[in-house]
Amino acid sequence: MQDDQQTHLIEQDEDTGDDGAPSQKQNWQKSSAQLENRYQTDAITGLSTEAAEQRLKKFGKNELEVKKKSNWILFFKQFNNSIVYILAITAIVTLLMRHYPDSIVIGSVIIANAFVGFFQEVSADNALNKIQELLVAESFVIRDGQRKLMEAKEIVIGDIVSLEAGDSVPADMRLLTADNLKIQESTLTGETNSVDKIEEVIAKENVPLAERANMAFAATAVTSGSGTGIVVATGMQSQIGKIQSDVIKVKSKATPLMKNLNRLGITLSLAILAIAVLLFFLGMHLEIYSLPTLTVAIITLVVGSMPEGMPASVSVVLAMGTRKLTGKNAIVKTLPAVETLGAVDIVNTDKTGTLTKNEEMTVTDIVTLNGEYTVSGVGYDASGQILDTNNRVATWENDDKLRKLIKIAGQTTDASFHLEDGAWVLTGEPTDGALTGLYHKITGKEPDVTEIDSLPFDSEFRYSARLVQDERQRYLMVKGAPQTLLNKIKKFNPEFAGEQQWLDKVVKLSKQGKRVVGLGLQKVNETEELVNPAKIGEQFEFVGIVGIIDPPREEVKAAIRQLRYAGVKVKMITGDDPNTALAIANQLDMGENLKAVTGPELDKMSDQELIDKIDKYTVFARTTPSDKLKIVKAQQQRKHVVSMTGDGVNDAPALKQADIGVAMGIKGTDVAKGSADMVLADDNFTTVLSAVKEGRLVFDNIRKTIRFLLPTSFAEGLIVVFSILLDQTMPLYPTQLLWINMVSALTIQFAFIFEPAENGIMTRGPRDISRGILTKFDIVEIAYVSILIASLGMIMYNGMTALGMSHVMGSTMTLNIIIFGKIFYLFNIRNNHLVFSKYFFQNKIAFYIIGILLLLQMGIIYLPFMQEIFHTGSINFFYGWVIPSITGLIVLIVTELLKIARLVYSKKASKSKI
């Protein structure tokens, strides 16, 4: 309601153009008088208390709204999914069969999954609360002509707010005055450099958020200077409020893996139930069993065929992947997120601080009248040299221009460094840090500034100056925008002929994405004690220009190259200048023929046009938080599995929308961490590469687990089917079927979580999530392995009982035949290599797990109390262990022969594609 009312107030006071029609001017385009008229306020006296109270009552408080969901509703919501339904049916069936321990285990899995989902959603709600905490508590407001300290939540549209260094901005404002005002807006834009603010009108209509120099936004911080502004948006209508709205609107969704598992679970359940119903009516029609016996047989079929252990097995594989990633400084908040990274084909990332070193801006180029030079060494802690165009070391001490430029760089900067934990840490602005770094790198020492007076940088005149004493001469040293300094020279020397030459050099560096700073000096009288701006340019020597770039992280380029090799595209989404961003992208080798697009250009596209064009761009520059969200949504509409990497509040909506959000642990805000699925504890982008590899390994092992579980579970069900159709006694008891499933869930199938990655796991490209977990060949394999194991069990049971073996001993032998079929099939399915190869002992844990399983089998066969529960008997070694081993070996031989056929077919298919 507040948003609509505030918008209505704005629309009521539209300015009119020359023709009397309303002009849709933005706030940054309006003069102070127009703003006062629009918001019915006074720039000097502010609002009256009465007017402010009316607006507060009408529009509401300046705070972010969060509709708190009931924790009970959140908890019970977790039971609303197909896997839980399947588990619940299984639990009810086992309960009806009075197998209470199994019912308790399955019920515990259901409740545990509910708690995991519950805490995940609570974490997402906490992200919204963290955004609320960003709003400042108190601010100075002018009311009734007096400056008052007020609670920020009482601020309304039209209030005049006073800002000073150290303040947080309480609401979105149009600045009326700005005295050397700088505001750090990384909360919204992601860029750490403080932004110079102005009070003048900006004529352009479409201005990116990062370039609205006469606006101040809620939850940003004043780093220097002072100013006043008129409040134009509060609460949810502010830019930070819009981020909150975007986070609220983004609904939690199932990961690709969970969607695949849900679909598989539903398909299996329906198929098993359909077969059970069909078999039940067939049995009744043919009068194979009595009705009670037939009912028990059908229930046994459902329980035996249902892979109860699948959810638990998948969870354990995911948990192991989570644990491995934690050891690599990647903290995964939700288990399915581990696998999702293995499926991503696009990784969106911010530039500043993620791909680049953030504050370690570095001078890379120097241009003087004597030549063009490059500076080696990246970052603050690197040594470096000045190299000429022939890559020879320039003797800067003997070059008058270079010597002066380096001296000016050192004398005009306010930045300094100190060692912290073995690394150089900057105090001051990054641009100044680049100049201090240049001086330190070339001279090997800190600048010794002999300041007499200084004029700080101001966005209005675009330069800073410092009056210094250098030995016996006093100088006015200046650094700033090259065009500004050249204009100063032309003011005193209209015939200055070198302007175009310098401007060409500036354009050349700018196109490389570098920030260009001009440096010069002029001699002044020894009696000068103050900087006189009016005299700057008189007998001024324009010494040269420097090109500054935020250097890319060295390790990132290699990581991006490997991701591209793995079929994963890396996209840059940044609030920075498109030229700078594109230059960094080229340096990092993010692709061929890279293209950039800006936020304003995206705004001009329709939703469908954006979806059609989204894959053409690698760099998205001058983006707002809503742009980032649009980009991720458009990529998902193109059927991409999208990862979003970010650290700021502005990244939160996109982090939540992405298939997997990745937040930075050190520099990341609590809001970003709360919205993400994974947190990089070391802020290292290369960890994403490890996570992608681990995600692919996790999926491979989950797929192997399912390929292993289903045929062995179906084999149990088929034994029941064969028994009904053959009108014979069932070889296995229901308790034995449950034992097989429980033992498998607790032991042998967990061998897959320790399987190492297959060769070429990072060369095959991301998996196609639309194809599901199982391939057509997998389905065929599951069918023939199920039939093979069930047939071997039935043949041996019928053969031995026909020779006089008792039903109990025959049942015990059949139980071990199923178990040994599992064991030998495990060796076949572990990897794509032949079983007896150098990879046989690669997973040593598998052998320990098999040993544990055999001990458990000995217990169920030979312990008297186990014999009574599971209807087993003390069978001799030959029938109980040798025959099951032979049948297991048959399973291995058949499956290995078919593996060879599959490998040969795959090689031929690969060659035909080439």
Side-chain angles (χ1 to χ4, degrees), residues 186 190 350 352-354 358 645-651 655 662-664 667-673 683:
S186 62
D350 191 18
T352 307
T354 305
N358 194 9
T645 304
D647 55 11
V649 177
N650 61 318
D651 296 320
L655 285 171
V662 181
M664 298 298 169
K667 296 177 181 177
T669 61
D670 288 339
V671 178
K673 294 174 192 175
D683 283 12

Side-chain angles (χ1 to χ4, degrees), residues 91-342:
I92 292 169
V93 171
T94 54
L95 186 64
L96 292 173
M97 294 179 65
R98 298 185 179 181
H99 297 290
Y100 302 120
D102 204 45
S103 299
I104 292 171
V105 170
I106 297 171
S108 300
V109 170
I110 294 172
I111 294 172
N113 285 339
F115 273 109
V116 170
F118 169 71
F119 288 119
Q120 178 183 344
E121 291 212 27
V122 168
S123 174
D125 283 351
N126 288 341
L128 302 178
N129 295 331
K130 293 295 182 183
I131 296 179
Q132 279 187 301
E133 293 171 8
L134 291 172
L135 292 186
V136 64
E138 294 180 321
S139 289
F140 281 103
V141 180
I142 298 173
R143 289 261 182 96
D144 301 314
Q146 296 181 345
R147 190 169 181 265
K148 303 176 181 179
L149 184 63
M150 296 181 55
E151 286 190 80
K153 64 183 180 181
E154 304 295 326
I155 291 174
V156 298
I157 286 184
D159 263 327
I160 306 300
V161 176
S162 176
L163 298 174
E164 293 180 354
D167 288 348
S168 290
V169 181
D172 287 2
M173 301 189 298
R174 164 66 161 87
L175 295 171
L176 302 175
T177 64
D179 184 11
N180 294 323
L181 182 64
K182 289 187 177 183
I183 298 180
Q184 216 266 14
E185 296 180 341
S186 62
T187 314
L188 296 175
T189 65
E191 299 304 316
T192 56
N193 288 343
S194 295
V195 179
D196 299 302
K197 292 297 180 180
I198 62 174
E199 60 194 56
E200 290 78 18
V201 169
I202 298 175
K204 289 171 61 178
E205 181 178 352
N206 295 317
V207 180
L209 186 73
E211 296 178 9
R212 297 174 193 172
N214 59 7
M215 300 287 294
F217 302 103
T220 58
V222 179
T223 56
S224 64
S226 60
T228 58
I230 181 171
V231 175
V232 298
T234 61
M236 296 298 287
Q237 188 71 4
S238 64
Q239 291 295 328
I240 194 73
K242 291 176 181 177
I243 292 177
Q244 171 111 332
S245 295
D246 286 340
V247 173
I248 293 172
K249 290 175 184 175
V250 176
K251 303 298 182 184
S252 298
K253 54 189 177 301
T255 64
L257 174 65
M258 295 312 295
K259 289 178 182 176
N260 291 152
L261 286 175
N262 283 341
R263 190 162 60 245
L264 177 62
I266 291 171
T267 303
L268 289 176
S269 298
L270 293 176
I272 291 169
L273 290 174
I275 292 171
V277 171
L278 181 65
L279 204 58
F280 179 79
F281 284 110
L282 182 64
M284 286 183 63
H285 177 70
L286 299 177
E287 297 181 353
I288 296 173
Y289 288 157
S290 65
L291 184 60
T293 304
L294 179 62
T295 302
V296 171
I298 294 301
I299 291 175
T300 304
L301 165 66
V302 173
V303 174
S305 301
M306 195 76 75
E308 298 101 323
M310 188 170 74
S313 302
V314 169
S315 295
V316 172
V317 175
L318 291 172
M320 177 59 74
T322 298
R323 189 182 68 79
K324 288 181 182 177
L325 284 178
T326 301
K328 298 176 182 177
N329 294 312
I331 302 165
V332 181
K333 293 167 57 183
T334 58
L335 291 181
V338 181
E339 186 279 333
T340 306
L341 263 170

Side-chain angles (χ1 to χ4, degrees), residues 63-75:
E63 55 189 6
L64 303 182
E65 302 166 1
V66 177
K67 293 181 180 179
K68 185 69 176 177
K69 296 178 183 176
S70 166
N71 284 340
W72 285 110
I73 292 175
L74 285 178
F75 180 71

Side-chain angles (χ1 to χ4, degrees), residues 654-870:
L655 285 171
K656 192 175 178 186
Q657 174 66 38
D659 295 287
I660 177 165
V662 181
M664 298 298 169
I666 300 173
K667 296 177 181 177
T669 61
D670 288 339
V671 178
K673 294 174 192 175
S675 299
D677 303 292
M678 188 173 83
V679 178
L680 302 183
D682 57 356
D683 283 12
N684 193 337
F685 179 81
T686 59
T687 307
V688 173
L689 178 65
S690 301
V692 169
K693 183 178 181 180
E694 188 62 37
R696 293 187 179 186
L697 172 60
V698 164
F699 177 77
D700 282 355
N701 289 344
I702 286 174
R703 183 166 165 264
K704 290 173 185 176
T705 300
I706 294 172
R707 285 171 59 201
F708 173 78
L709 272 175
L710 294 185
T712 51
S713 292
F714 291 167
E716 299 166 40
L718 281 175
I719 287 177
V720 177
V721 173
F722 292 159
S723 299
I724 293 174
L725 294 177
L726 295 173
D727 191 14
Q728 69 168 62
T729 303
M730 284 190 294
L732 295 174
Y733 289 88
T735 50
Q736 292 173 343
L737 294 177
L738 289 170
W739 166 263
I740 293 171
N741 287 345
M742 288 175 63
V743 168
S744 297
L746 294 172
T747 53
I748 191 168
Q749 65 208 44
F750 288 164
F752 292 113
I753 69 177
F754 300 101
E755 278 298 317
E758 301 266 7
N759 293 335
I761 194 171
M762 292 297 284
T763 61
R764 66 187 184 207
R767 72 180 181 92
D768 183 356
I769 60 172
S770 65
R771 293 177 59 184
I773 295 175
L774 300 175
T775 65
K776 291 180 180 178
F777 181 86
D778 293 335
I779 296 170
V780 172
E781 180 184 50
I782 289 167
Y784 77 70
V785 173
S786 302
I787 295 170
L788 178 62
I789 294 176
S791 299
L792 288 170
M794 290 292 295
I795 291 169
M796 296 309 300
Y797 172 81
N798 289 335
M800 291 299 113
T801 53
L803 294 174
M805 180 181 283
S806 69
H807 171 64
V808 170
M809 291 302 170
S811 180
T812 303
M813 180 187 66
T814 306
L815 173 65
N816 262 8
I817 286 173
I818 300 295
I819 292 295
F820 273 76
K822 282 175 174 279
I823 292 172
F824 281 86
Y825 182 49
L826 168 70
F827 286 106
N828 167 263
I829 207 172
R830 277 177 50 197
N831 53 52
N832 289 323
H833 304 285
L834 296 181
V835 61
F836 297 113
S837 66
K838 63 180 180 180
Y839 302 100
F840 185 71
F841 293 105
Q842 194 173 27
N843 180 3
K844 294 181 175 61
I845 301 295
F847 292 91
Y848 295 122
I849 290 174
I850 290 170
I852 294 171
L853 173 61
L854 293 176
L855 287 174
L856 291 171
Q857 282 303 113
M858 292 174 67
I860 194 177
I861 292 172
Y862 299 112
L863 293 176
F865 77 94
M866 297 284 276
Q867 290 176 345
E868 186 174 342
I869 296 172
F870 293 98

Side-chain angles (χ1 to χ4, degrees), residues 357 360 362-363 374-387 424 437-445 554:
K357 293 191 173 184
E360 290 195 30
T362 306
V363 173
T374 56
V375 183
S376 63
V378 177
Y380 298 149
D381 59 348
S383 59
Q385 296 175 315
I386 298 176
L387 307 174
W424 290 104
L438 173 66
Y439 186 91
H440 183 271
K441 188 182 297 183
I442 302 304
T443 66
K445 57 186 179 182
E554 292 87 350

Side-chain angles (χ1 to χ4, degrees), residues 452-694:
I452 299 169
D453 187 33
S454 65
L455 181 69
F457 183 88
D458 189 287
S459 57
E460 183 177 354
F461 43 77
R462 309 293 295 171
Y463 66 86
S464 65
R466 177 159 290 161
L467 192 61
V468 299
Q469 184 70 39
D470 184 42
E471 297 178 353
R472 297 182 180 181
Q473 179 62 52
R474 191 163 291 190
Y475 290 98
L476 181 62
M477 297 184 176
V478 186
K479 73 171 187 295
Q483 181 67 70
T484 301
L485 301 189
L486 293 170
N487 288 340
K488 287 281 186 182
I489 296 173
K490 290 186 68 176
K491 178 182 175 182
F492 291 93
N493 182 14
E495 297 181 359
F496 176 65
E499 180 182 19
Q500 192 56 50
Q501 178 186 351
W502 284 115
L503 291 179
D504 290 342
K505 302 294 185 185
V506 170
V507 170
K508 178 182 176 182
L509 291 177
S510 297
K511 285 185 176 180
Q512 296 173 13
K514 295 170 184 174
R515 180 176 299 177
V516 184
V517 178
L519 300 105
L521 80 170
Q522 63 190 58
K523 294 180 180 179
V524 297
N525 295 329
E526 292 294 322
T527 56
E528 291 281 353
E529 297 292 333
L530 298 173
V531 174
N532 185 351
K535 291 186 177 181
I536 295 177
E538 186 178 3
Q539 297 181 345
F540 188 86
E541 181 183 357
F542 192 90
V543 177
I545 58 176
V546 295
I548 301 174
I549 197 165
D550 184 3
R553 294 177 181 269
E554 292 87 350
E555 70 277 10
V556 168
K557 185 173 183 178
I560 289 175
R561 182 172 61 250
Q562 291 182 61
L563 284 170
R564 289 181 61 198
Y565 193 59
V568 181
K569 296 178 181 178
V570 180
K571 309 276 187 174
M572 183 191 299
I573 306 179
T574 177
D576 207 347
D577 176 80
N579 288 326
T580 302
L582 203 54
I584 294 291
N586 278 306
Q587 288 182 40
L588 291 172
D589 195 22
M590 291 175 66
E592 290 80 32
N593 302 316
L594 300 180
K595 292 183 179 180
V597 65
T598 64
E601 290 171 334
L602 292 177
D603 292 337
K604 295 176 182 178
M605 297 182 192
S606 65
D607 290 344
Q608 188 57 51
E609 188 180 3
L610 177 59
I611 292 170
D612 293 339
K613 294 182 177 180
I614 194 73
D615 287 342
K616 296 180 180 179
Y617 304 111
T618 303
V619 174
F620 301 87
R622 293 297 188 211
T623 55
T624 64
S626 59
D627 290 332
K628 294 183 179 183
L629 186 57
K630 282 196 299 185
I631 291 164
V632 172
K633 285 182 176 179
Q635 290 169 337
Q636 290 172 329
Q637 286 293 313
R638 298 285 296 181
K639 306 302 181 184
H640 293 296
V641 180
V642 181
S643 169
M644 176 70 193
T645 304
D647 55 11
V649 177
N650 61 318
D651 296 320
L655 285 171
K656 192 175 178 186
Q657 174 66 38
D659 295 287
I660 177 165
V662 181
M664 298 298 169
I666 300 173
K667 296 177 181 177
T669 61
D670 288 339
V671 178
K673 294 174 192 175
S675 299
D677 303 292
M678 188 173 83
V679 178
L680 302 183
D682 57 356
D683 283 12
N684 193 337
F685 179 81
T686 59
T687 307
V688 173
L689 178 65
S690 301
V692 169
K693 183 178 181 180
E694 188 62 37

